[in-house]
Amino acid sequence: MRHGSGDPGRGQGRGHGRGHGHGDHGDHGEHGHTGRHRGGKGHQGGRHGRRRVVDGGELRLLILKLLSDTPRHGYDLIREIEDLTGGAYAPSPGMVYPTLSLMQDLGLIVETESEGTRKAFSVTEAGAAELEKDADTADAVLARLSEIGETQERVGGGPVKRAMENLHQVLRSRMMQDDATKDTAFDAAAILDEAAQRIERL
């Protein structure tokens, strides 16, 4: 009897252990898949969800243009482009550093002495000649980025940004009050619609 009662106990323990282990594995697999999916989706959205601000050829000319002013390393180039657009756009390191390597292989840029461990680059004679040949395109790219920066400053900064933040806080606070109803929401929406129409007529 003891032997018979022991077998079911051991069998149940083994079955429970396998079931629990399988559950853990399933949860781990699900979380892992979710993490990869989210990362992939974000990466895909950045690459394919919208048109690139600059393509590979334009980036090469832009780098030559910026390096013609002063030697820079990769991070400086990314930061400078981001500053030009008012923070609206910055090329990824995965786009900038391979381009720098290619330009170095083509003899358009060369490493120069710099402080620290980062590699700084300057334009060679061949790079200067290519920049001069496509100067109009380089200037157009630079102008486009500057225009993005000006738009970003108008839309995202200063008094407009302050007013939008204030509107968000006031609207959220009002709708969370106990006496807020659907009519309150409709009245608020009507005010916002009227404000939008007035802004459109400016």
Side-chain angles (χ1 to χ4, degrees):
M1 291 296 293
R2 284 194 301 271
H3 178 73
S5 62
D7 285 342
R10 286 195 298 270
Q12 184 179 5
R14 288 195 300 270
H16 178 72
R18 286 194 299 270
H20 182 70
H22 178 73
D24 286 347
H25 177 72
D27 289 344
H28 177 74
E30 183 179 352
H31 291 317
H33 175 73
T34 302
R36 288 193 299 271
H37 177 70
R38 285 178 181 172
K41 183 177 181 180
H43 180 74
Q44 183 176 2
R47 291 290 183 88
H48 304 292
R50 59 180 180 272
R51 180 183 177 273
R52 280 183 177 176
V53 176
V54 295
D55 61 28
E58 291 174 334
L59 178 61
R60 189 164 68 184
L61 288 173
L62 180 59
I63 289 175
L64 286 174
K65 183 75 172 178
L66 295 175
L67 292 181
S68 66
D69 297 332
T70 183
R72 304 174 191 267
H73 50 70
Y75 177 74
D76 276 343
L77 291 167
I78 294 173
R79 186 174 57 186
E80 181 66 21
I81 295 171
E82 186 176 15
D83 288 344
L84 281 172
T85 63
Y89 169 75
S92 68
M95 188 176 182
V96 170
Y97 288 104
T99 301
L100 288 172
S101 296
L102 174 62
M103 294 173 68
Q104 194 174 10
D105 291 341
L106 294 174
L108 302 177
I109 60 175
V110 65
E111 284 187 38
T112 186
E113 293 184 3
S114 62
E115 297 180 359
T117 58
R118 291 174 176 166
K119 297 179 181 178
F121 299 93
S122 59
V123 178
T124 63
E125 290 184 5
E130 178 161 329
L131 180 59
E132 183 177 0
K133 181 183 67 175
D134 294 323
D136 290 343
T137 302
D139 290 341
V141 173
L142 197 62
R144 187 165 76 239
L145 295 180
S146 298
E147 184 178 353
I148 292 173
E150 292 172 1
T151 302
Q152 179 72 6
E153 184 177 358
R154 289 197 308 270
V155 175
V160 173
K161 182 178 181 180
R162 177 201 57 76
M164 291 180 66
E165 291 175 350
N166 184 48
L167 171 63
H168 177 76
Q169 292 175 2
V170 170
L171 187 60
R172 179 180 176 84
S173 175
R174 180 65 186 94
M175 296 309 301
M176 290 182 66
Q177 293 178 11
D178 293 338
D179 61 342
T181 64
K182 287 185 177 180
D183 288 338
T184 308
F186 283 124
D187 290 342
I191 294 172
L192 294 175
D193 288 339
E194 181 182 356
Q197 292 173 5
R198 293 180 61 185
I199 292 172
E200 192 175 17
R201 292 194 296 267
L202 290 176

